Amino acid sequence: MSRIQKTFSRLQAAGRQALIPFITAGDPAPSATVGLMHALVAGGADIIELGVPFTDPSADGPVIQRAAERALAHGTSLRRIIAMVAEFRERDADTPVVLMGYANPVEAMGYEAFGAAAAKAGIDGLLTVDLPPEEAAARAAILKRHGVAPIFLLAPTTPPERAQAVARLAEGYVYYVSLKGVTGAANLDVASVAAKLAELRAHIALPIGVGFGIRDAESARAVAAVADAVVIGSRVVQEVEQGEAGLADRLTAFLGGIRSAIDAPRP
Amino acid sequence: MSQYSFPDAAGHFGQFGGIFVAETLIPALDELRSEYERARRDPAFMAEYEYELKHYVGRPSPLYHARRWSETLGGAQIWLKREDLNHTGAHKVNNTIGQALLARRMGKKRVIAETGAGQHGVASATVAARYGLECVVYMGAEDVARQAPNVFRMKLLGATVVPVQSGSKTLKDAMNEAMRDWVTNVDSTYYIIGTCAGPHPYPMLVRDFQAVIGEECKQQCADQIGRQPDAVVACVGGGSNAIGIFYPYIDVPGVRLIGVEAGGLGVETGRHAAPLTSGAPIGVLHGERVNLMQDENGQIIDTHSISAGLDYPGVGPEHCHLNEIQRAEYVAATDDEALVAFHDLCRYEGIIPALESSHALAHARKIAPAMSPDQVIVVNLSGRGDKDIPTIARLDGIEL
């Protein structure tokens, strides 16, 4: 059983939902990333999505765009990020780590080389936003052979029959993009998310995480009522953007607040 | 005897092209593809497109013998396909009319576009005014500064021009921002991509709407010269004017197809925008898999060209394919070579060419002297140079 599967079965047995924070690797500096990952776990992260910065993040809003620019200015590369995860694994053998980014850095490294290096470093999954199922079959097969879960997006515009195509390729969990827009947008509508998830669940058995537009304890709790996992990205990256002073503690505290809101008993 | 039939059903030109976009946009691309398939089989749609090309754009554009320049160069006869004489001053309008008619057919009330030199932005703003659509044009902040006349032109036409401050502040960043708008407003908005790039079906439909250039050219060569040319030369950024004139010639033997990329300060300096000439590795950007200027970590490299319209790190997938199967050749002309050709055309033919098109002229200037006077080169003069006058004046140290 993979680390991701173990995590979801443990949570499901306890009737809880996963909390998945996102940070961009190398932001604010490559030397900070491993420490921040541990701080996220201390704040209650069940899985970490680690952003791979790209020069042309066309699906991201300004907050994550700026994070990518800061990380790239420090020379953060996919190979260095893999090494960061290997270092994280020295002290954390259990928390799944999923790399999230765009196709080209992985294309440049090559899927075989990436799959082998990622597995060795203890990376559990890969989500490339610009790799839809249409182009993914051969690439996903390589990842699976190395034990790295290919993670796919579903969107408000996804018709049910496409969810079946995703289900055939996906492992780990699927990531439902809660709104039409870029990361960090502010127009989350929980009722429509709930309706769409009910429709998608008829076609896909994997746990469904929901992200985009979750900003605070209240929206996290509302999403947790309908999803298997809550993904929170831009709001976490905003904390990073506030500066390095006390950053690890601030991340732990911020995430702890979200964690409590998700876990609080429901009437 | 047409043997060439790309793209395949999934939008691939050999190993190039495809659909590399976020899930949210896939249904919109599916819808566009099926609507386009219906439209191009619909005689009423095609009749309206052709009517607009004739009466609004002023097609066919002339095929003009640049006799004096050819004599001066002392070799092949250079003929110019005068896309610069189209309404709006470039080939871009052929495509924006086609796509605006598609947008209207799909019930979209709002169109967005990215632009580099501003020619596609102007052509989009123009058709948006013509068909009563709201229009937002994304343009890199650096390009806004160097193409001021076109920015004002778009505003006159009622479009909103959004300067893009991210990344290198040029065409690729404008395209990123347009994609962010599209993913946010996908229900109401049609994205008019200006070049034969982006996710399937864009490279195919832009080519189809631009192929009128090559189709006319074939007929005009037969009528005016009595034969087809030895070489067809066109500049390539994304490559829409080039694919438009090349496509009808792909199955015609004996016609060399030469795409001219922006050599910038020289391909050997690394400061250029010539992915094919420099042998850039294959990568994924803006929805397509193409030869792409990138570093060893897959990050996109900043490009350089004097011409905003060619300042792009990738190139359309069909050009990558034609390069790989060696049906077309790709070369580069430097900023300096383009400027010499620019001034040549002004002084010998009384035509002020766009800096983009001047790259194609520069290559014709390079190869014509070694050819015989009974040979023929057709250069696609893709746009006129009015928009570049401030740039040229600045280079010459002249204050306007």
Side-chain angles (χ1 to χ4, degrees):
Chain A
M1 198 186 262
S2 75
R3 264 190 289 261
I4 297 176
Q5 286 168 325
K6 277 186 206 158
T7 300
F8 277 106
S9 4
R10 174 175 55 79
L11 289 165
Q12 273 157 9
R16 297 168 66 214
Q17 290 76 40
L19 173 58
I20 311 182
F22 168 101
I23 55 171
T24 297
D27 171 36
S31 58
T33 298
V34 173
L36 296 184
M37 291 169 75
H38 290 303
L40 293 172
V41 176
D46 296 298
I47 297 174
I48 294 174
E49 285 187 354
L50 194 56
V52 179
F54 183 49
T55 40
D56 293 80
S58 57
D60 282 301
V63 171
I64 293 177
Q65 287 177 47
R66 287 196 297 269
E69 284 174 14
R70 288 191 295 269
L72 290 173
H74 286 107
T76 307
S77 66
L78 181 54
R79 286 175 197 278
R80 284 184 78 176
I81 294 167
I82 294 169
M84 289 173 197
V85 179
E87 193 189 331
F88 172 78
R89 280 277 167 259
E90 291 169 8
R91 281 178 49 208
D92 188 325
D94 302 322
T95 308
V97 176
V98 170
L99 298 196
M100 179 170 182
Y102 293 80
N104 203 51
V106 186
E107 296 278 322
M109 185 170 177
Y111 274 78
E112 269 304 334
F114 171 78
K120 190 155 171 271
I123 289 167
D124 301 283
L126 174 69
L127 197 178
T128 34
V129 297
D130 51 349
L131 188 72
E134 278 78 357
E135 303 287 351
R139 293 167 173 90
I142 295 171
L143 294 178
K144 287 181 188 174
R145 189 150 40 71
H146 287 287
V148 176
I151 294 173
F152 288 88
L153 299 175
L154 296 171
T157 54
T158 304
E161 59 275 16
R162 277 185 63 78
Q164 292 173 1
V166 168
R168 281 192 289 275
L169 293 172
E171 272 184 7
Y173 60 98
V174 293
Y175 185 137
Y176 178 70
V177 175
S178 67
L179 49 85
K180 295 169 200 150
V182 294
T183 52
N187 43 346
L188 177 67
D189 172 1
V190 176
S192 70
V193 170
K196 188 69 184 182
L197 291 195
E199 182 189 311
L200 293 171
R201 280 211 166 91
H203 302 281
I204 200 150
L206 289 172
I208 302 181
V210 173
F212 282 40
I214 297 163
R215 313 201 50 77
D216 51 23
E218 191 189 351
S219 51
R221 181 172 168 79
V223 165
V226 298
D228 302 303
V230 176
V231 186
I232 180 158
S234 293
R235 184 62 190 83
V236 176
V237 173
Q238 276 177 339
E239 286 295 325
V240 178
E241 203 162 40
Q242 299 300 311
E244 286 193 62
L247 176 56
D249 291 341
R250 273 189 287 122
L251 280 188
T252 301
F254 171 74
L255 215 58
I258 304 285
R259 174 88 265 170
S260 314
I262 294 175
D263 290 347
R266 289 171 193 282
Chain B
M1 53 149 266
S2 182
Q3 298 169 338
Y4 181 91
S5 61
F6 290 95
D8 66 18
H12 295 115
F13 300 84
Q15 63 167 324
F16 302 101
I19 310 182
F20 293 86
V21 296
E23 173 66 23
T24 311
L25 294 176
I26 294 277
L29 290 165
D30 285 344
E31 182 195 0
L32 174 58
R33 192 169 61 241
S34 41
E35 193 60 46
Y36 175 60
E37 291 300 335
R38 279 192 293 275
R40 70 171 171 183
R41 284 175 181 75
D42 176 354
F45 178 87
M46 292 312 292
E48 184 171 13
Y49 172 63
E50 282 157 20
Y51 180 94
E52 296 287 275
L53 288 185
K54 182 174 180 194
H55 297 284
Y56 188 63
V57 177
R59 302 203 72 90
S61 67
L63 181 69
Y64 164 78
H65 188 185
R67 196 172 275 129
R68 209 164 93 77
W69 194 39
S70 304
E71 277 168 16
T72 308
L73 295 173
Q77 301 307 308
I78 299 175
W79 292 68
L80 305 176
K81 180 63 174 159
R82 296 292 307 274
E83 293 299 300
D84 62 314
L85 293 178
N86 292 341
H87 178 45
T88 73
H91 70 291
K92 293 292 187 187
V93 72
N94 304 325
N95 168 50
T96 58
I97 285 185
Q99 292 202 49
L101 290 174
L102 273 179
R104 202 180 61 180
R105 195 181 157 96
M106 294 167 77
K108 307 286 185 185
K109 304 278 187 242
R110 178 176 181 267
V111 295
I112 58 172
E114 85 294 335
T115 197
Q119 292 302 95
H120 174 60
V122 167
S124 298
T126 298
V127 299
R130 166 83 182 81
Y131 301 119
L133 305 166
E134 182 193 346
C135 180
V136 176
V137 179
Y138 292 94
M139 188 168 187
E142 184 178 321
D143 294 337
V144 168
R146 60 179 166 174
Q147 303 287 344
N150 270 346
V151 175
F152 187 55
R153 211 165 275 149
M154 287 182 262
K155 290 179 180 169
L156 285 176
L157 293 161
T160 303
V161 180
V162 180
V164 177
Q165 301 288 353
S166 58
S168 59
K169 305 180 175 57
T170 59
L171 178 55
K172 78 174 176 72
D173 310 286
M175 201 151 175
N176 291 334
E177 206 56 38
M179 293 189 80
R180 292 180 189 120
D181 180 315
W182 197 31
V183 81
T184 306
N185 301 297
V186 62
D187 295 333
S188 68
T189 296
Y190 183 102
Y191 180 13
I192 305 183
I193 293 185
T195 191
C196 54
H200 181 60
Y202 281 104
M204 173 180 75
L205 69 88
V206 173
R207 173 197 72 195
D208 292 350
F209 288 135
Q210 292 294 0
V212 64
I213 304 171
E215 280 153 14
E216 283 175 9
C217 186
K218 258 165 112 174
Q219 185 64 48
Q220 289 165 323
C221 284
D223 294 347
Q224 293 174 240
I225 315 174
R227 52 171 293 206
Q228 293 304 326
D230 298 281
V232 174
V233 181
C235 66
V236 175
S240 69
N241 88 83
I243 205 66
I245 197 164
F246 288 178
Y247 184 58
Y249 279 107
I250 288 174
D251 284 328
V252 180
V255 180
R256 286 173 67 189
L257 305 176
I258 307 175
V260 186
E261 297 185 308
L265 304 179
V267 170
E268 69 288 350
T269 67
R271 300 281 294 137
H272 59 83
L276 292 174
T277 311
S278 65
I282 299 170
V284 171
L285 181 69
H286 294 152
E288 57 181 8
R289 189 166 182 268
V290 294
N291 294 96
L292 194 58
M293 290 176 56
Q294 54 183 308
D295 68 15
E296 69 279 10
N297 296 312
Q299 303 296 343
I300 308 307
I301 293 175
D302 284 356
T303 53
H304 168 80
S305 171
I306 192 173
S307 140
L310 303 182
D311 208 348
Y312 183 72
V315 54
E318 193 156 20
H319 288 296
C320 299
H321 179 62
L322 293 173
N323 180 53
E324 187 165 80
I325 65 172
Q326 297 184 356
R327 176 58 189 98
E329 317 155 45
Y330 295 85
V331 297
T334 64
D335 290 352
D336 289 344
E337 289 167 337
L339 283 168
V340 170
F342 172 92
H343 286 294
D344 266 16
L345 210 67
C346 294
R347 298 299 286 270
Y348 291 110
E349 297 294 343
I351 296 171
I352 301 177
L355 279 176
E356 289 75 20
S357 323
S358 297
H359 288 72
L361 295 166
H363 191 69
R365 192 177 182 279
K366 219 177 281 180
I367 63 173
M371 294 168 71
S372 82
D374 58 0
Q375 290 188 293
V376 172
I377 300 171
V378 170
V379 176
N380 197 16
L381 188 59
S382 56
R384 67 179 181 227
D386 307 43
K387 70 186 175 58
D388 296 311
I389 287 170
T391 301
I392 302 286
R394 197 160 55 242
L395 287 169
D396 290 348
I398 295 164
E399 213 168 299
L400 292 179

